[in-house]
Amino acid sequence: MEIIMNILKFLKPTIHTPEKGVAATARVTNFVRPEGGWVPMGYTLDGSYVVLSLKTGQLVTLRAQDLHMKKLQVWLGLEVRNSSMVYDNDIKKDVVEPTAVVEEIAKACDEMGLFDFSRVRGPGLYREGDDLVVNFGHQVATADGKLVPLHPGHKSAIYQGGPSLGFALDTPCASSEEVLRVLGVLGSFGLGGKGDLIKLAGWLVTAFFGAALPHRPILAISAERGSGKTTLIEFLNALLGPQAIRRDGIPTTAQMIYALENRSATLIVDELEGRGSKKAAVETFMEMLRIQFTSSSSQRLSRVIGGKTRYYNAPVCVLLLGISLPSFNAATETRTVRLNLDALPEASRLYYEWLLDSSRESETVALGARLRRLLVSRWNIMRGTMAAVRPMLIGLGHEARIADKFSPLLAGYVAMTHDHVPSPEELRSLIAQMDLSQTAPATVERDAEMCLSVLLNRKVVIYKMTDGAKEKTHMTIRDALTHVVHGDAAAREPLTRQLEEFGVRPLWVRASASWKLAVCSSEHHEGMRKLMMRTDWALGGWKDVLQRLPGAKASVQKVARSTQRVVVVDMPREVLEPEDGDYDFPEPMAA
Protein backbone atom coordinates (compact mmCIF):
# COMPACT_ATOMS: atom_id res chain seq x y z
CA MET A 1 0.00 0.00 0.00
CA GLU A 2 2.89 2.38 0.71
CA ILE A 3 4.16 1.73 -2.84
CA ILE A 4 0.78 2.74 -4.30
CA MET A 5 0.66 5.90 -2.21
CA ASN A 6 4.19 6.84 -3.23
CA ILE A 7 3.30 6.43 -6.92
CA LEU A 8 0.15 8.53 -6.50
CA LYS A 9 2.16 11.44 -5.08
CA PHE A 10 3.79 11.88 -8.47
CA LEU A 11 0.50 11.85 -10.39
CA LYS A 12 -1.20 15.14 -11.20
CA PRO A 13 -4.60 15.59 -9.56
CA THR A 14 -6.29 15.84 -12.96
CA ILE A 15 -8.01 13.17 -14.98
CA HIS A 16 -5.80 11.46 -17.53
CA THR A 17 -7.19 11.57 -21.07
CA PRO A 18 -8.64 8.08 -21.52
CA GLU A 19 -8.63 5.86 -24.56
CA LYS A 20 -11.70 5.31 -26.70
CA GLY A 21 -13.92 2.31 -25.98
CA VAL A 22 -12.94 -0.72 -28.02
CA ALA A 23 -16.53 -1.57 -28.90
CA ALA A 24 -17.85 1.91 -29.62
CA THR A 25 -19.02 0.87 -33.11
CA ALA A 26 -20.79 -2.31 -31.99
CA ARG A 27 -24.31 -3.03 -33.20
CA VAL A 28 -26.93 -1.94 -30.68
CA THR A 29 -30.66 -2.28 -30.35
CA ASN A 30 -32.41 0.96 -29.43
CA PHE A 31 -35.51 0.96 -27.26
CA VAL A 32 -36.70 4.36 -28.40
CA ARG A 33 -37.39 5.81 -31.85
CA PRO A 34 -38.43 9.42 -32.51
CA GLU A 35 -41.56 8.34 -34.35
CA GLY A 36 -42.46 5.69 -31.77
CA GLY A 37 -43.92 2.29 -32.59
CA TRP A 38 -44.53 -0.98 -30.79
CA VAL A 39 -43.29 -4.55 -30.53
CA PRO A 40 -45.75 -7.35 -29.66
CA MET A 41 -44.92 -9.26 -26.46
CA GLY A 42 -47.97 -11.42 -25.67
CA TYR A 43 -51.05 -11.30 -23.48
CA THR A 44 -51.81 -11.57 -19.76
CA LEU A 45 -54.04 -14.01 -17.89
CA ASP A 46 -57.00 -11.61 -18.17
CA GLY A 47 -56.53 -11.33 -21.94
CA SER A 48 -54.95 -7.87 -22.00
CA TYR A 49 -52.23 -7.26 -24.58
CA VAL A 50 -48.61 -6.49 -23.70
CA VAL A 51 -46.45 -4.48 -26.10
CA LEU A 52 -43.08 -2.79 -25.89
CA SER A 53 -43.51 0.91 -26.60
CA LEU A 54 -40.79 2.30 -28.87
CA LYS A 55 -41.75 5.77 -27.68
CA THR A 56 -40.85 5.20 -24.02
CA GLY A 57 -38.94 1.88 -24.14
CA GLN A 58 -41.35 0.52 -21.51
CA LEU A 59 -43.71 -2.44 -21.52
CA VAL A 60 -47.34 -1.36 -21.78
CA THR A 61 -50.39 -3.44 -20.85
CA LEU A 62 -53.34 -2.60 -23.10
CA ARG A 63 -56.76 -3.43 -21.68
CA ALA A 64 -60.03 -3.25 -23.60
CA GLN A 65 -60.70 0.34 -22.54
CA ASP A 66 -57.21 1.38 -23.76
CA LEU A 67 -57.67 0.29 -27.39
CA HIS A 68 -58.59 3.70 -28.78
CA MET A 69 -56.43 6.13 -30.67
CA LYS A 70 -55.91 8.78 -27.96
CA LYS A 71 -54.29 6.38 -25.53
CA LEU A 72 -52.47 4.42 -28.21
CA GLN A 73 -50.90 7.61 -29.54
CA VAL A 74 -49.84 8.77 -26.07
CA TRP A 75 -48.29 5.42 -25.16
CA LEU A 76 -46.94 4.23 -28.52
CA GLY A 77 -46.17 7.42 -30.44
CA LEU A 78 -47.18 9.13 -33.67
CA GLU A 79 -46.37 6.11 -35.82
CA VAL A 80 -49.55 4.42 -34.58
CA ARG A 81 -51.64 7.41 -35.65
CA ASN A 82 -49.89 7.78 -38.98
CA SER A 83 -50.36 4.11 -39.80
CA SER A 84 -54.07 4.42 -39.00
CA MET A 85 -54.76 7.19 -41.50
CA VAL A 86 -57.19 6.29 -44.32
CA TYR A 87 -58.69 8.45 -47.07
CA ASP A 88 -62.36 9.28 -46.63
CA ASN A 89 -64.02 9.78 -50.05
CA ASP A 90 -66.98 11.59 -48.52
CA ILE A 91 -65.04 14.39 -46.91
CA LYS A 92 -62.09 14.10 -49.33
CA LYS A 93 -59.31 13.92 -46.70
CA ASP A 94 -57.36 11.52 -44.50
CA VAL A 95 -59.03 10.44 -41.23
CA VAL A 96 -57.94 8.25 -38.32
CA GLU A 97 -59.32 4.71 -38.37
CA PRO A 98 -57.86 2.75 -35.40
CA THR A 99 -59.57 -0.55 -36.20
CA ALA A 100 -56.74 -1.87 -38.37
CA VAL A 101 -54.05 -1.06 -35.75
CA VAL A 102 -56.08 -2.60 -32.92
CA GLU A 103 -56.61 -5.77 -34.95
CA GLU A 104 -52.91 -5.91 -35.82
CA ILE A 105 -51.91 -5.56 -32.12
CA ALA A 106 -54.41 -8.24 -31.11
CA LYS A 107 -53.28 -10.69 -33.77
CA ALA A 108 -49.55 -10.19 -33.15
CA CYS A 109 -49.87 -10.47 -29.35
CA ASP A 110 -52.10 -13.54 -29.56
CA GLU A 111 -49.46 -15.25 -31.69
CA MET A 112 -46.79 -14.52 -29.03
CA GLY A 113 -48.70 -16.41 -26.33
CA LEU A 114 -48.96 -15.83 -22.58
CA PHE A 115 -46.54 -13.16 -21.36
CA ASP A 116 -44.20 -13.98 -18.47
CA PHE A 117 -43.35 -10.87 -16.42
CA SER A 118 -40.65 -12.75 -14.54
CA ARG A 119 -38.48 -12.72 -17.69
CA VAL A 120 -38.38 -8.92 -17.92
CA ARG A 121 -34.95 -7.33 -17.58
CA GLY A 122 -34.55 -3.62 -16.95
CA PRO A 123 -31.30 -1.61 -17.13
CA GLY A 124 -28.35 -3.66 -15.88
CA LEU A 125 -25.87 -6.36 -16.88
CA TYR A 126 -26.95 -9.91 -17.65
CA ARG A 127 -25.51 -13.11 -19.02
CA GLU A 128 -26.72 -15.06 -22.05
CA GLY A 129 -24.58 -18.19 -22.29
CA ASP A 130 -21.02 -16.85 -22.27
CA ASP A 131 -22.06 -13.43 -23.63
CA LEU A 132 -22.44 -10.32 -21.51
CA VAL A 133 -25.62 -8.42 -22.34
CA VAL A 134 -25.73 -4.78 -21.22
CA ASN A 135 -29.05 -2.97 -21.00
CA PHE A 136 -27.91 0.65 -20.94
CA GLY A 137 -31.44 1.95 -20.44
CA HIS A 138 -31.85 3.47 -23.89
CA GLN A 139 -30.27 0.59 -25.82
CA VAL A 140 -29.16 -3.00 -25.33
CA ALA A 141 -26.07 -4.73 -26.74
CA THR A 142 -23.56 -7.45 -25.99
CA ALA A 143 -19.96 -6.76 -25.00
CA ASP A 144 -18.68 -8.12 -28.32
CA GLY A 145 -21.25 -6.38 -30.52
CA LYS A 146 -23.85 -9.10 -31.15
CA LEU A 147 -27.32 -7.79 -31.90
CA VAL A 148 -29.94 -8.40 -29.17
CA PRO A 149 -33.45 -8.77 -30.64
CA LEU A 150 -36.42 -7.06 -29.03
CA HIS A 151 -38.73 -9.85 -30.19
CA PRO A 152 -38.43 -12.46 -27.43
CA GLY A 153 -38.49 -16.19 -27.86
CA HIS A 154 -40.73 -18.31 -25.68
CA LYS A 155 -37.96 -18.80 -23.07
CA SER A 156 -35.56 -15.95 -23.75
CA ALA A 157 -35.19 -12.80 -21.66
CA ILE A 158 -37.28 -9.72 -22.41
CA TYR A 159 -35.47 -6.38 -22.25
CA GLN A 160 -37.08 -3.01 -21.66
CA GLY A 161 -35.71 0.50 -21.33
CA GLY A 162 -35.41 2.62 -18.22
CA PRO A 163 -33.05 4.99 -16.41
CA SER A 164 -29.56 5.16 -17.88
CA LEU A 165 -26.67 3.20 -16.36
CA GLY A 166 -24.58 6.34 -16.57
CA PHE A 167 -22.34 5.11 -19.39
CA ALA A 168 -22.68 3.76 -22.94
CA LEU A 169 -20.67 1.82 -25.51
CA ASP A 170 -19.13 5.05 -26.81
CA THR A 171 -17.91 6.07 -23.32
CA PRO A 172 -14.08 6.10 -23.22
CA CYS A 173 -12.37 3.43 -21.12
CA ALA A 174 -10.48 4.36 -17.98
CA SER A 175 -6.71 4.53 -18.29
CA SER A 176 -4.28 2.42 -16.27
CA GLU A 177 -3.32 5.53 -14.27
CA GLU A 178 -6.96 6.08 -13.32
CA VAL A 179 -7.34 2.46 -12.25
CA LEU A 180 -4.22 2.81 -10.10
CA ARG A 181 -5.60 5.97 -8.52
CA VAL A 182 -8.89 4.24 -7.63
CA LEU A 183 -6.94 1.41 -5.97
CA GLY A 184 -4.86 3.96 -4.09
CA VAL A 185 -7.96 5.69 -2.73
CA LEU A 186 -9.48 2.37 -1.61
CA GLY A 187 -6.19 1.43 0.05
CA SER A 188 -5.98 4.74 1.88
CA PHE A 189 -8.76 3.67 4.25
CA GLY A 190 -7.97 1.65 7.36
CA LEU A 191 -8.03 -1.82 5.82
CA GLY A 192 -6.01 -3.87 8.27
CA GLY A 193 -6.71 -7.45 7.22
CA LYS A 194 -4.67 -9.53 4.81
CA GLY A 195 -5.89 -9.12 1.25
CA ASP A 196 -8.58 -6.61 2.25
CA LEU A 197 -7.79 -4.31 -0.67
CA ILE A 198 -8.22 -7.19 -3.13
CA LYS A 199 -11.54 -8.10 -1.51
CA LEU A 200 -12.85 -4.52 -1.54
CA ALA A 201 -11.76 -3.80 -5.12
CA GLY A 202 -13.03 -7.22 -6.21
CA TRP A 203 -16.40 -6.53 -4.59
CA LEU A 204 -16.66 -3.23 -6.50
CA VAL A 205 -16.23 -5.09 -9.81
CA THR A 206 -18.61 -7.86 -8.67
CA ALA A 207 -21.22 -5.21 -7.87
CA PHE A 208 -20.81 -3.77 -11.36
CA PHE A 209 -21.31 -7.08 -13.20
CA GLY A 210 -24.12 -8.00 -10.82
CA ALA A 211 -26.63 -10.48 -12.22
CA ALA A 212 -24.18 -11.54 -14.95
CA LEU A 213 -22.19 -13.47 -12.30
CA PRO A 214 -23.30 -16.83 -10.86
CA HIS A 215 -22.43 -15.79 -7.28
CA ARG A 216 -22.12 -12.40 -5.56
CA PRO A 217 -20.97 -12.42 -1.92
CA ILE A 218 -22.28 -10.01 0.69
CA LEU A 219 -19.62 -7.59 1.91
CA ALA A 220 -20.01 -6.62 5.58
CA ILE A 221 -17.72 -3.88 6.91
CA SER A 222 -17.52 -3.16 10.62
CA ALA A 223 -16.10 0.33 10.93
CA GLU A 224 -14.51 2.17 13.83
CA ARG A 225 -15.63 5.72 14.54
CA GLY A 226 -13.50 8.13 12.57
CA SER A 227 -12.65 5.48 9.97
CA GLY A 228 -14.14 7.42 7.04
CA LYS A 229 -17.01 4.96 6.62
CA THR A 230 -19.36 7.52 5.10
CA THR A 231 -16.62 8.80 2.80
CA LEU A 232 -15.96 5.26 1.57
CA ILE A 233 -19.66 4.72 0.89
CA GLU A 234 -19.93 7.96 -1.06
CA PHE A 235 -16.86 7.03 -3.13
CA LEU A 236 -18.17 3.56 -4.00
CA ASN A 237 -21.62 4.98 -4.71
CA ALA A 238 -20.14 7.56 -7.09
CA LEU A 239 -18.10 4.92 -8.95
CA LEU A 240 -21.14 2.65 -9.42
CA GLY A 241 -23.39 5.56 -10.36
CA PRO A 242 -27.01 4.57 -11.12
CA GLN A 243 -26.07 0.92 -10.63
CA ALA A 244 -26.21 1.40 -6.84
CA ILE A 245 -28.87 2.49 -4.39
CA ARG A 246 -28.04 3.64 -0.88
CA ARG A 247 -30.16 3.26 2.23
CA ASP A 248 -29.58 4.22 5.86
CA GLY A 249 -30.83 1.50 8.18
CA ILE A 250 -32.72 -1.66 7.25
CA PRO A 251 -34.86 -1.13 4.13
CA THR A 252 -38.33 -2.65 4.06
CA THR A 253 -39.57 -5.04 1.39
CA ALA A 254 -41.86 -2.31 0.05
CA GLN A 255 -38.89 0.04 -0.39
CA MET A 256 -37.02 -2.68 -2.28
CA ILE A 257 -40.00 -3.34 -4.57
CA TYR A 258 -40.28 0.30 -5.60
CA ALA A 259 -36.51 0.74 -5.95
CA LEU A 260 -35.81 -2.48 -7.90
CA GLU A 261 -39.03 -3.10 -9.81
CA ASN A 262 -37.62 -2.01 -13.17
CA ARG A 263 -33.86 -2.06 -12.65
CA SER A 264 -30.94 -4.19 -11.56
CA ALA A 265 -28.81 -2.51 -8.90
CA THR A 266 -26.49 -3.00 -5.94
CA LEU A 267 -27.73 -2.22 -2.44
CA ILE A 268 -25.48 -0.23 -0.10
CA VAL A 269 -26.78 -0.09 3.48
CA ASP A 270 -25.21 2.30 5.96
CA GLU A 271 -25.89 2.58 9.70
CA LEU A 272 -26.85 -1.08 10.04
CA GLU A 273 -26.56 -1.51 13.79
CA GLY A 274 -27.22 -4.45 16.08
CA ARG A 275 -28.75 -2.36 18.83
CA GLY A 276 -32.12 -0.78 18.17
CA SER A 277 -32.93 -3.04 15.20
CA LYS A 278 -36.04 -5.21 15.37
CA LYS A 279 -35.37 -8.92 15.06
CA ALA A 280 -38.21 -9.55 12.57
CA ALA A 281 -37.00 -6.74 10.29
CA VAL A 282 -33.42 -8.06 10.39
CA GLU A 283 -34.53 -11.62 9.58
CA THR A 284 -36.68 -10.47 6.63
CA PHE A 285 -33.81 -8.38 5.31
CA MET A 286 -31.33 -11.24 5.69
CA GLU A 287 -33.62 -13.53 3.71
CA MET A 288 -33.52 -11.05 0.83
CA LEU A 289 -29.72 -10.92 1.04
CA ARG A 290 -29.42 -14.72 0.80
CA ILE A 291 -31.54 -14.69 -2.35
CA GLN A 292 -29.14 -12.34 -4.13
CA PHE A 293 -26.07 -14.56 -3.52
CA THR A 294 -26.89 -17.06 -6.28
CA SER A 295 -28.21 -16.46 -9.77
CA SER A 296 -31.08 -18.69 -10.84
CA SER A 297 -33.30 -19.17 -13.84
CA SER A 298 -36.01 -17.14 -12.07
CA GLN A 299 -34.30 -13.90 -11.12
CA ARG A 300 -37.36 -11.83 -10.27
CA LEU A 301 -39.39 -11.96 -7.08
CA SER A 302 -43.11 -11.32 -6.79
CA ARG A 303 -45.41 -9.87 -4.17
CA VAL A 304 -49.17 -9.30 -4.30
CA ILE A 305 -49.92 -5.67 -3.39
CA GLY A 306 -53.46 -4.39 -3.49
CA GLY A 307 -54.59 -7.51 -5.33
CA LYS A 308 -52.03 -6.96 -8.08
CA THR A 309 -48.87 -9.01 -8.55
CA ARG A 310 -45.76 -6.85 -8.54
CA TYR A 311 -42.41 -8.14 -9.77
CA TYR A 312 -39.05 -6.85 -8.61
CA ASN A 313 -35.40 -7.86 -8.58
CA ALA A 314 -33.37 -8.90 -5.58
CA PRO A 315 -30.30 -6.66 -5.10
CA VAL A 316 -27.56 -7.94 -7.41
CA CYS A 317 -24.94 -7.28 -4.74
CA VAL A 318 -24.96 -5.99 -1.16
CA LEU A 319 -22.64 -3.88 1.01
CA LEU A 320 -23.44 -3.56 4.72
CA LEU A 321 -21.67 -1.04 6.94
CA GLY A 322 -22.05 -0.28 10.62
CA ILE A 323 -20.18 0.25 13.85
CA SER A 324 -21.74 -2.84 15.47
CA LEU A 325 -23.40 -5.01 12.85
CA PRO A 326 -26.17 -7.40 13.98
CA SER A 327 -25.28 -11.06 14.11
CA PHE A 328 -26.06 -13.06 10.98
CA ASN A 329 -27.56 -16.52 11.00
CA ALA A 330 -25.45 -19.40 9.70
CA ALA A 331 -26.95 -19.35 6.20
CA THR A 332 -26.21 -15.65 5.72
CA GLU A 333 -22.75 -15.88 7.32
CA THR A 334 -21.57 -18.47 4.79
CA ARG A 335 -22.37 -15.97 2.02
CA THR A 336 -20.64 -13.04 3.70
CA VAL A 337 -17.10 -11.65 3.48
CA ARG A 338 -16.20 -9.50 6.48
CA LEU A 339 -13.78 -6.58 6.67
CA ASN A 340 -12.79 -4.33 9.56
CA LEU A 341 -12.19 -0.64 8.99
CA ASP A 342 -9.82 0.94 11.49
CA ALA A 343 -9.45 4.64 12.16
CA LEU A 344 -7.93 6.54 9.26
CA PRO A 345 -4.12 6.61 9.21
CA GLU A 346 -2.59 10.01 9.90
CA ALA A 347 -1.11 10.12 6.38
CA SER A 348 -4.59 9.75 4.86
CA ARG A 349 -5.92 12.61 6.97
CA LEU A 350 -3.22 15.00 5.71
CA TYR A 351 -3.19 13.87 2.07
CA TYR A 352 -5.61 15.67 -0.29
CA GLU A 353 -7.44 13.36 -2.69
CA TRP A 354 -9.66 15.05 -5.25
CA LEU A 355 -11.67 11.87 -5.82
CA LEU A 356 -12.99 12.23 -2.26
CA ASP A 357 -13.74 15.94 -2.61
CA SER A 358 -17.53 16.39 -2.57
CA SER A 359 -17.21 19.59 -4.62
CA ARG A 360 -15.71 17.51 -7.46
CA GLU A 361 -18.19 14.65 -7.26
CA SER A 362 -19.12 14.98 -10.92
CA GLU A 363 -15.52 14.15 -11.88
CA THR A 364 -15.59 11.04 -9.66
CA VAL A 365 -18.86 9.96 -11.28
CA ALA A 366 -17.33 10.47 -14.74
CA LEU A 367 -14.30 8.38 -13.74
CA GLY A 368 -16.66 5.66 -12.49
CA ALA A 369 -18.41 5.64 -15.88
CA ARG A 370 -15.08 5.17 -17.67
CA LEU A 371 -14.05 2.46 -15.22
CA ARG A 372 -17.29 0.56 -15.79
CA ARG A 373 -16.86 0.92 -19.55
CA LEU A 374 -13.39 -0.61 -19.20
CA LEU A 375 -14.82 -3.54 -17.24
CA VAL A 376 -17.34 -4.27 -20.00
CA SER A 377 -14.44 -4.74 -22.41
CA ARG A 378 -12.80 -7.12 -19.90
CA TRP A 379 -15.76 -9.44 -19.43
CA ASN A 380 -13.88 -12.39 -20.89
CA ILE A 381 -11.06 -11.78 -18.40
CA MET A 382 -13.57 -11.79 -15.54
CA ARG A 383 -15.24 -14.96 -16.77
CA GLY A 384 -11.99 -16.76 -17.54
CA THR A 385 -10.42 -15.91 -14.18
CA MET A 386 -13.47 -17.17 -12.26
CA ALA A 387 -13.36 -20.42 -14.21
CA ALA A 388 -9.67 -20.83 -13.34
CA VAL A 389 -9.77 -19.75 -9.68
CA ARG A 390 -12.73 -21.77 -8.42
CA PRO A 391 -11.20 -25.23 -9.03
CA MET A 392 -7.90 -23.97 -7.58
CA LEU A 393 -9.66 -23.00 -4.33
CA ILE A 394 -11.47 -26.34 -4.17
CA GLY A 395 -8.18 -28.09 -4.85
CA LEU A 396 -6.72 -26.34 -1.80
CA GLY A 397 -9.42 -27.96 0.33
CA HIS A 398 -12.00 -25.16 0.48
CA GLU A 399 -15.68 -26.02 0.41
CA ALA A 400 -17.67 -25.19 -2.71
CA ARG A 401 -19.51 -22.36 -0.91
CA ILE A 402 -16.17 -20.76 0.09
CA ALA A 403 -14.92 -21.05 -3.50
CA ASP A 404 -18.15 -19.48 -4.79
CA LYS A 405 -17.74 -16.64 -2.29
CA PHE A 406 -14.14 -15.66 -3.01
CA SER A 407 -13.66 -16.52 -6.70
CA PRO A 408 -15.71 -13.52 -7.99
CA LEU A 409 -13.79 -11.16 -5.68
CA LEU A 410 -10.42 -12.36 -6.90
CA ALA A 411 -11.61 -12.38 -10.53
CA GLY A 412 -12.99 -8.86 -10.10
CA TYR A 413 -9.64 -7.58 -8.85
CA VAL A 414 -7.94 -9.25 -11.83
CA ALA A 415 -10.42 -7.74 -14.31
CA MET A 416 -9.75 -4.32 -12.83
CA THR A 417 -5.95 -4.56 -12.95
CA HIS A 418 -5.13 -6.95 -15.83
CA ASP A 419 -5.76 -6.99 -19.56
CA HIS A 420 -5.40 -10.78 -19.71
CA VAL A 421 -6.17 -13.84 -17.62
CA PRO A 422 -3.19 -14.34 -15.27
CA SER A 423 -1.07 -17.48 -15.27
CA PRO A 424 -1.69 -20.17 -12.60
CA GLU A 425 1.41 -18.94 -10.74
CA GLU A 426 0.04 -15.38 -10.59
CA LEU A 427 -3.34 -16.65 -9.42
CA ARG A 428 -1.73 -18.71 -6.66
CA SER A 429 0.12 -15.58 -5.54
CA LEU A 430 -3.15 -13.62 -5.37
CA ILE A 431 -4.80 -16.48 -3.47
CA ALA A 432 -1.94 -16.33 -0.96
CA GLN A 433 -2.38 -12.55 -0.62
CA MET A 434 -6.04 -13.16 0.27
CA ASP A 435 -4.89 -15.64 2.95
CA LEU A 436 -6.66 -18.53 1.20
CA SER A 437 -3.67 -20.81 0.61
CA GLN A 438 -4.66 -22.87 3.64
CA THR A 439 -8.11 -23.87 4.79
CA ALA A 440 -9.30 -22.69 8.18
CA PRO A 441 -10.54 -25.35 10.60
CA ALA A 442 -14.23 -25.89 10.02
CA THR A 443 -16.29 -25.11 13.09
CA VAL A 444 -19.81 -25.98 12.02
CA GLU A 445 -22.45 -25.96 14.73
CA ARG A 446 -25.17 -28.40 13.75
CA ASP A 447 -28.82 -27.52 14.26
CA ALA A 448 -29.36 -30.60 16.44
CA GLU A 449 -26.48 -29.64 18.74
CA MET A 450 -27.71 -26.04 18.94
CA CYS A 451 -31.25 -27.19 19.77
CA LEU A 452 -30.06 -29.52 22.52
CA SER A 453 -27.77 -26.81 23.91
CA VAL A 454 -30.64 -24.31 24.05
CA LEU A 455 -32.79 -26.87 25.84
CA LEU A 456 -30.12 -27.68 28.42
CA ASN A 457 -29.38 -24.00 29.08
CA ARG A 458 -32.99 -23.07 29.85
CA LYS A 459 -33.47 -22.00 33.46
CA VAL A 460 -36.47 -23.39 35.35
CA VAL A 461 -37.85 -23.23 38.88
CA ILE A 462 -36.90 -26.27 40.95
CA TYR A 463 -38.07 -27.04 44.49
CA LYS A 464 -35.85 -29.09 46.79
CA MET A 465 -35.99 -30.06 50.45
CA THR A 466 -33.46 -28.38 52.73
CA ASP A 467 -33.55 -29.26 56.45
CA GLY A 468 -37.12 -30.51 56.06
CA ALA A 469 -38.33 -27.31 54.38
CA LYS A 470 -39.18 -26.81 50.68
CA GLU A 471 -36.79 -24.35 49.08
CA LYS A 472 -37.33 -22.62 45.74
CA THR A 473 -34.32 -22.26 43.46
CA HIS A 474 -33.54 -21.56 39.80
CA MET A 475 -31.27 -23.82 37.81
CA THR A 476 -30.70 -24.87 34.23
CA ILE A 477 -32.03 -28.12 32.81
CA ARG A 478 -28.39 -29.20 32.54
CA ASP A 479 -27.73 -28.61 36.26
CA ALA A 480 -30.94 -30.41 37.22
CA LEU A 481 -29.96 -33.44 35.11
CA THR A 482 -26.50 -33.39 36.67
CA HIS A 483 -28.08 -33.53 40.13
CA VAL A 484 -30.20 -36.51 39.03
CA VAL A 485 -27.23 -38.41 37.62
CA HIS A 486 -24.66 -37.60 40.30
CA GLY A 487 -26.73 -36.39 43.29
CA ASP A 488 -28.27 -38.14 46.23
CA ALA A 489 -30.43 -41.12 45.42
CA ALA A 490 -33.27 -39.76 47.54
CA ALA A 491 -33.41 -36.54 45.50
CA ARG A 492 -33.49 -38.22 42.08
CA GLU A 493 -37.20 -39.00 41.91
CA PRO A 494 -38.44 -35.55 43.07
CA LEU A 495 -36.13 -33.82 40.57
CA THR A 496 -37.16 -36.16 37.78
CA ARG A 497 -40.87 -35.54 38.42
CA GLN A 498 -40.32 -31.79 38.27
CA LEU A 499 -38.35 -32.09 35.00
CA GLU A 500 -41.17 -34.16 33.52
CA GLU A 501 -43.48 -31.17 33.89
CA PHE A 502 -41.26 -29.43 31.32
CA GLY A 503 -41.29 -32.44 28.97
CA VAL A 504 -37.82 -33.73 29.89
CA ARG A 505 -37.16 -37.08 31.59
CA PRO A 506 -33.80 -38.71 32.43
CA LEU A 507 -33.91 -42.50 31.88
CA TRP A 508 -31.68 -45.21 33.36
CA VAL A 509 -31.51 -48.15 30.91
CA ARG A 510 -30.63 -51.26 32.88
CA ALA A 511 -29.94 -53.41 29.82
CA SER A 512 -27.08 -51.17 28.69
CA ALA A 513 -26.35 -49.61 32.09
CA SER A 514 -26.46 -46.15 30.58
CA TRP A 515 -28.33 -42.88 30.99
CA LYS A 516 -30.66 -41.61 28.25
CA LEU A 517 -32.65 -38.40 27.90
CA ALA A 518 -36.29 -38.42 26.72
CA VAL A 519 -37.69 -35.18 25.27
CA CYS A 520 -41.39 -34.82 24.49
CA SER A 521 -41.82 -34.34 20.75
CA SER A 522 -45.38 -33.02 20.55
CA GLU A 523 -45.68 -29.34 19.66
CA HIS A 524 -48.73 -29.23 21.95
CA HIS A 525 -46.76 -30.08 25.11
CA GLU A 526 -47.07 -27.00 27.30
CA GLY A 527 -43.73 -27.42 29.06
CA MET A 528 -41.72 -27.88 25.86
CA ARG A 529 -43.50 -24.97 24.21
CA LYS A 530 -42.38 -22.74 27.08
CA LEU A 531 -38.78 -24.01 26.90
CA MET A 532 -38.62 -23.43 23.13
CA MET A 533 -40.34 -20.05 23.16
CA ARG A 534 -38.61 -17.43 20.99
CA THR A 535 -36.23 -19.97 19.44
CA ASP A 536 -35.91 -21.26 15.88
CA TRP A 537 -37.84 -24.36 16.96
CA ALA A 538 -40.77 -22.64 18.67
CA LEU A 539 -43.30 -24.18 16.25
CA GLY A 540 -42.40 -27.77 17.11
CA GLY A 541 -39.29 -28.19 14.94
CA TRP A 542 -37.27 -29.61 17.83
CA LYS A 543 -38.70 -33.10 17.17
CA ASP A 544 -37.12 -33.48 13.72
CA VAL A 545 -33.93 -31.67 14.68
CA LEU A 546 -33.19 -33.76 17.79
CA GLN A 547 -33.66 -36.97 15.83
CA ARG A 548 -30.54 -36.06 13.84
CA LEU A 549 -28.35 -36.56 16.92
CA PRO A 550 -26.25 -39.75 16.91
CA GLY A 551 -28.18 -42.60 18.50
CA ALA A 552 -31.48 -40.66 18.68
CA LYS A 553 -34.75 -42.49 18.07
CA ALA A 554 -38.47 -41.88 18.35
CA SER A 555 -40.23 -43.71 21.19
CA VAL A 556 -43.10 -43.62 23.67
CA GLN A 557 -42.52 -43.01 27.39
CA LYS A 558 -44.43 -42.18 30.53
CA VAL A 559 -43.85 -38.51 31.22
CA ALA A 560 -45.68 -36.78 34.10
CA ARG A 561 -47.95 -39.82 34.53
CA SER A 562 -49.17 -39.82 30.92
CA THR A 563 -47.95 -41.56 27.79
CA GLN A 564 -46.08 -39.19 25.49
CA ARG A 565 -44.32 -39.39 22.16
CA VAL A 566 -40.68 -38.63 22.82
CA VAL A 567 -37.27 -38.45 21.18
CA VAL A 568 -34.74 -40.50 23.16
CA VAL A 569 -31.13 -39.30 22.89
CA ASP A 570 -27.91 -40.19 24.68
CA MET A 571 -27.40 -38.26 27.89
CA PRO A 572 -25.07 -35.34 27.00
CA ARG A 573 -21.44 -35.85 27.96
CA GLU A 574 -21.31 -32.62 29.96
CA VAL A 575 -23.99 -34.13 32.22
CA LEU A 576 -22.30 -37.52 32.56
CA GLU A 577 -18.84 -36.02 33.02
CA PRO A 578 -19.30 -32.55 34.51
CA GLU A 579 -16.24 -30.34 34.48
CA ASP A 580 -15.49 -28.26 37.52
CA GLY A 581 -13.32 -26.00 35.40
CA ASP A 582 -9.58 -25.51 35.60
CA TYR A 583 -8.54 -21.98 36.41
CA ASP A 584 -5.03 -20.60 36.77
CA PHE A 585 -4.58 -17.66 39.09
CA PRO A 586 -1.40 -15.97 40.25
CA GLU A 587 -0.07 -16.89 43.65
CA PRO A 588 -0.96 -14.34 46.35
CA MET A 589 1.77 -11.79 46.81
CA ALA A 590 3.78 -12.07 49.98
CA ALA A 591 2.94 -9.46 52.55
Side-chain angles (χ1 to χ4, degrees), residues 522-541:
S522 173
E523 67 274 15
H524 301 296
H525 192 282
E526 190 66 26
M528 282 301 300
R529 288 176 60 183
K530 290 180 179 179
L531 292 179
M532 290 298 174
M533 191 179 296
R534 292 192 294 273
T535 70
D536 293 341
W537 311 279
L539 299 179

Side-chain angles (χ1 to χ4, degrees), residues 420-440:
H420 63 279
V421 177
S423 65
E425 291 75 17
E426 291 178 284
L427 292 178
R428 278 191 286 270
S429 174
L430 288 173
I431 290 173
Q433 292 180 46
M434 294 180 70
D435 201 20
L436 296 174
S437 296
Q438 296 180 343
T439 58

Side-chain angles (χ1 to χ4, degrees), residues 533-577:
M533 191 179 296
R534 292 192 294 273
T535 70
D536 293 341
W537 311 279
L539 299 179
W542 67 83
K543 175 188 66 173
D544 296 326
V545 172
L546 290 178
Q547 288 194 52
R548 300 175 196 158
L549 289 169
K553 65 178 182 179
S555 182
V556 177
Q557 289 288 337
K558 283 277 189 180
V559 179
R561 299 182 181 86
S562 63
T563 303
Q564 300 280 351
R565 290 182 288 115
V566 299
V567 177
V568 179
V569 301
D570 294 334
M571 187 64 74
R573 177 173 295 180
E574 60 264 34
V575 173
L576 296 176
E577 302 173 4

Side-chain angles (χ1 to χ4, degrees), residues 127 198 202 205-206 209 213-214 375 378-393 403-404 406-424 426-428 430-431 434:
R127 185 170 180 169
I198 298 177
V205 178
T206 300
F209 283 114
L213 303 179
L375 293 174
R378 293 182 175 179
W379 162 247
N380 288 330
I381 300 173
M382 180 76 182
R383 184 172 56 85
T385 304
M386 280 196 302
V389 166
R390 188 178 187 276
M392 293 177 69
L393 292 174
D404 293 336
F406 286 105
S407 56
L409 300 183
L410 196 148
Y413 178 79
V414 168
M416 189 176 185
T417 57
H418 292 64
D419 58 2
H420 63 279
V421 177
S423 65
E426 291 178 284
L427 292 178
R428 278 191 286 270
L430 288 173
I431 290 173
M434 294 180 70

